[in-house]
Amino acid sequence: MKTTRTRNRQPLSIKTSRWAAYATAGAATAIGAAATADAAITYSGPLNVHFAASSSGQQVSYFNLGAGNSFGLAQTNLATSIGAARAGVFGAVSGAFAGFSASGFPYVSKLAFGADINGGNFSATAAVGTMAFAYGYGNSQWLASGTGYIGFRFNGGSGLQYGWARVTMDGAPGNTFTLVDYAYGDVGDMITAGQIPEPGSLALLALGGLGLAAWRKRRSMAAAA
């Protein structure tokens, strides 16, 4: 008759000092990753600034890009229910929006989520370009209601930087709109429309925190024994 032998499996034992080392390394790695992600992309967070000028007025706002650069958005109420939307980038001479020229007028391109900002067309030479005008003006791409992205670039003194602004249009002919949020990368960074800092860095921080918590719990249990 066969005898079945049962092997007693001992739980894996990790020394307290090693728990501390793992936790410290995890936290350090997480903090480093978070700093890298934050340095790569500067994100505004949700803004939801609504542009709707009063009768025969204009609403203009500028948003800081650092080093004396900014991008601006404007909505003009030309007459009852008739409006215009414009965008521009200001500061260094290299400041520009992704767009094109038609019949001598600069237009702002409406980009889709995930569009390559660095590879966009920045041939427009004017500081300000048209997004939408009344029921339609030339080659306006922002007449329909819905959300799109504006691509922009600027130079803070160290080289070109690229970014995007997310805009939700209310539709023609009023062409009021909302700036949802915006972001831009560091010099040399590639960025796509809608790209924000990676949330993975937060997960790494949480992992490091779990390691520290486990180490503290194990130390408390050892002290009580």
Side-chain angles (χ1 to χ4, degrees), residues 19-31 208:
W19 270 113
Y22 287 164
T24 303
T29 302
I31 293 170

Side-chain angles (χ1 to χ4, degrees), residues 152-199:
F152 59 82
R153 75 178 184 189
F154 62 98
N155 189 331
S158 300
L160 287 176
Q161 295 173 251
Y162 294 84
W164 55 264
R166 178 168 15 208
V167 173
T168 298
M169 300 296 296
D170 298 324
N175 298 313
T176 57
F177 62 89
T178 298
L179 170 65
V180 179
D181 52 3
Y182 71 93
Y184 58 91
D186 286 346
V187 175
D189 287 340
M190 304 295 291
I191 187 169
T192 59
Q195 183 180 357
I196 61 175
E198 291 291 341

Side-chain angles (χ1 to χ4, degrees), residues 62-153:
Y62 299 92
F63 301 89
N64 182 35
L65 300 175
N69 292 273
S70 64
F71 77 89
L73 296 170
Q75 197 277 335
T76 305
N77 189 340
L78 303 176
T80 304
S81 299
I82 299 296
R86 294 183 174 85
V89 182
F90 310 97
V93 293
S94 59
F97 54 85
F100 57 96
S101 296
S103 302
F105 294 96
Y107 291 89
V108 179
S109 294
K110 183 178 181 180
L111 306 177
F113 176 81
D116 175 17
I117 301 299
N118 301 58
N121 183 9
F122 291 91
S123 61
T125 56
V128 179
T130 297
M131 295 171 64
F133 182 87
Y135 284 101
Y137 187 71
N139 295 279
S140 298
Q141 296 185 355
W142 294 84
L143 292 169
S145 60
T147 301
Y149 294 82
I150 297 171
F152 59 82
R153 75 178 184 189

Side-chain angles (χ1 to χ4, degrees), residues 9-94:
R9 296 179 180 270
Q10 296 296 326
L12 180 65
S13 177
I14 300 177
K15 293 181 179 180
T16 301
S17 59
R18 188 166 295 181
W19 270 113
Y22 287 164
T24 303
T29 302
I31 293 170
T36 301
D38 290 342
I41 297 178
T42 300
Y43 177 52
S44 68
L47 295 175
N48 297 315
V49 179
H50 190 55
F51 288 76
S54 58
S55 179
S56 299
Q58 179 173 250
Q59 180 179 341
V60 183
S61 292
Y62 299 92
F63 301 89
N64 182 35
L65 300 175
N69 292 273
S70 64
F71 77 89
L73 296 170
Q75 197 277 335
T76 305
N77 189 340
L78 303 176
T80 304
S81 299
I82 299 296
R86 294 183 174 85
V89 182
F90 310 97
V93 293
S94 59

Side-chain angles (χ1 to χ4, degrees), residues 215-225:
W215 169 62
R216 286 170 180 164
K217 182 178 180 180
R218 186 175 177 85
R219 187 175 63 176
S220 297
M221 292 172 65

